[in-house]
Amino acid sequence: MSLVNVNNVSKKYGNQFALKNLSLELEEKGQYAILGASGSGKSTLLYLLGGLDKPDQGEIEVDGLSLSKLDDQEMADYRNTKIGFIFQFHFLLPSINCMKNILLPAEIGGHKVGPVKKQALELADYLGISQCLKKFPYELSGGEQQRVNIVRALSLKPQILLCDEPTGNLDSENSQKVTLLLQKLSLEFQSTLAVVTHDPSVAQRFQQKFVLKDGQLLEAQRAPDAAPPPPAPEN
Ligand code: ADP
């Protein structure tokens, strides 16, 4: 059964459609690339899926919830409990250290911080950034900040992990590494993964792709010859 149903969704900015009559489905625990040129509507789709914005027309249902029917508080709860976001730019708060950045969504959402901190410590160890947690974001390299961002997004074990050009400022080798890492982590956390990218070499690592053009779904591909999903990590 589909976890996410996007039904005939349109979103306009001024006179221009960012998304036009778009429908697609995401399966629970599926891994998807959303590919398209700049301006094709990828980020708009991701923001709508993540409850950061609402469509002008159509409906998005996630796990039986109709997002358009949620009030502001329910939408905040939806984002906080179901969604992990990873953006190209990290949006780490500069005035607090990395662990405090990681714990912030849990604190805002009223979760118990202890288990989240334990989870974050394990993930940081796995990603090799334990030594970064007491540092401030400006003391870290771009790659380290990206990993802190990944720990923050995963520390509440989100059902859906939404990534907006997560490899946008990385060279091609590191792009492939981060893509593989996101795939491994989403498998381990049993999260549905959607990665927005303009880079076909990132998209080709996914068996399932949605290609957008001018706010419309150009094609949905399920490629048998795509790179296979990575094995689940042992630890
Ligand atoms: P992509 O992520 O594929 O680059 P976007 O979803 O960011 O595409 O944008 C799709 C279209 O909507 C573009 O034409 C863009 O200029 C426009 N757009 C996106 N966000 C806004 C906004 N907040 N205000 C006005 N226009 C926007």
Side-chain angles (χ1 to χ4, degrees), residues 11-14 16-19 36-47 53 164-165 196 212 215:
K11 177 81 187 171
K12 258 177 151 181
Y13 292 106
Q16 195 188 352
F17 280 98
L19 293 176
S38 175
S40 59
K42 306 180 298 296
S43 302
T44 303
L45 173 60
L46 211 69
Y47 294 166
D53 206 347
D164 194 0
E165 300 278 6
V196 153
L212 293 191

Side-chain angles (χ1 to χ4, degrees), residues 3 8 18-19 39 43 50 69 73 81 83 86 98 104 120 123-125 133 146 148 157 161 184 200 204 212 223:
L3 176 68
N8 214 21
L19 293 176
S43 302
K69 295 189 182 135
Q73 184 55 53
T81 55
I83 306 291
I86 296 174
C98 290
L104 203 56
L123 262 172
D125 182 43
L133 296 179
Q146 178 65 296
V148 172
K157 299 189 178 174
L161 190 56
K184 276 187 171 179
Q204 66 100 27
L212 293 191

